[in-house]
Amino acid sequence: QVQLVESGGGLVQAGGSLRLSCAASGRAFRIKTMGWYRQTPGKQRELVATITSTATTTYADSVKGRFTISRDNAKNTVYLQMNSLEPEETAVYYCHVVLWGTIVTMGGDYWGQGTQVTVSS
């Protein structure tokens, strides 16, 4: 019932910046939380940042002060501004959405396809 479309990934030099976007679309849904996770082959997927519909945010300790998550509820879109990127942060970044249950829909969560972020040294 929900599709997530991510954009903004790419190749960036160490110390550079990228801004990721994720737009949710569908019918009869209400978003509880939107967030970003990242994963590299052979590693566990890890939380980067999340934001609720009331703008409460959570960040991984490793990105605090460098990354900023924000959202536009009217557009059902979440953004991740990433500054001072490090090569160790090369990964596929996934958008994640948690939905409230409604009269006509079940609560649940959805993952985007992912967007590659590569940070060169």
Side-chain angles (χ1 to χ4, degrees):
Q1 69 182 305
V2 173
Q3 293 187 57
L4 304 176
V5 179
E6 299 136 315
S7 62
L11 176 65
V12 66
Q13 197 172 68
S17 299
L18 286 173
R19 191 187 193 215
L20 306 183
S21 299
C22 174
S25 63
R27 295 183 179 274
F29 68 90
R30 189 169 180 83
I31 295 174
K32 178 182 180 182
T33 304
M34 301 185 80
W36 292 94
Y37 293 71
R38 62 190 178 192
Q39 186 172 26
T40 57
K43 296 183 179 180
Q44 292 183 309
R45 188 171 297 185
E46 65 174 347
L47 181 147
V48 178
T50 64
I51 186 167
T52 71
S53 60
T54 54
T56 299
T57 59
T58 300
Y59 293 95
D61 288 343
S62 61
V63 308
K64 288 180 179 177
R66 298 186 296 113
F67 290 13
T68 302
I69 190 169
S70 60
R71 86 284 179 270
D72 185 332
N73 288 343
K75 297 180 179 179
N76 290 322
T77 299
V78 64
Y79 307 93
L80 185 68
Q81 179 66 45
M82 304 186 293
N83 298 327
S84 301
L85 283 162
E86 304 168 358
E88 293 77 16
E89 293 171 313
T90 293
V92 177
Y93 283 68
Y94 294 92
C95 181
H96 180 243
V97 174
V98 179
L99 304 181
W100 293 106
T102 71
I103 293 174
V104 295
T105 62
M106 293 181 61
D109 65 303
Y110 294 82
W111 293 93
Q113 187 173 347
T115 184
Q116 177 70 45
V117 171
T118 302
V119 185
S120 63
S121 61

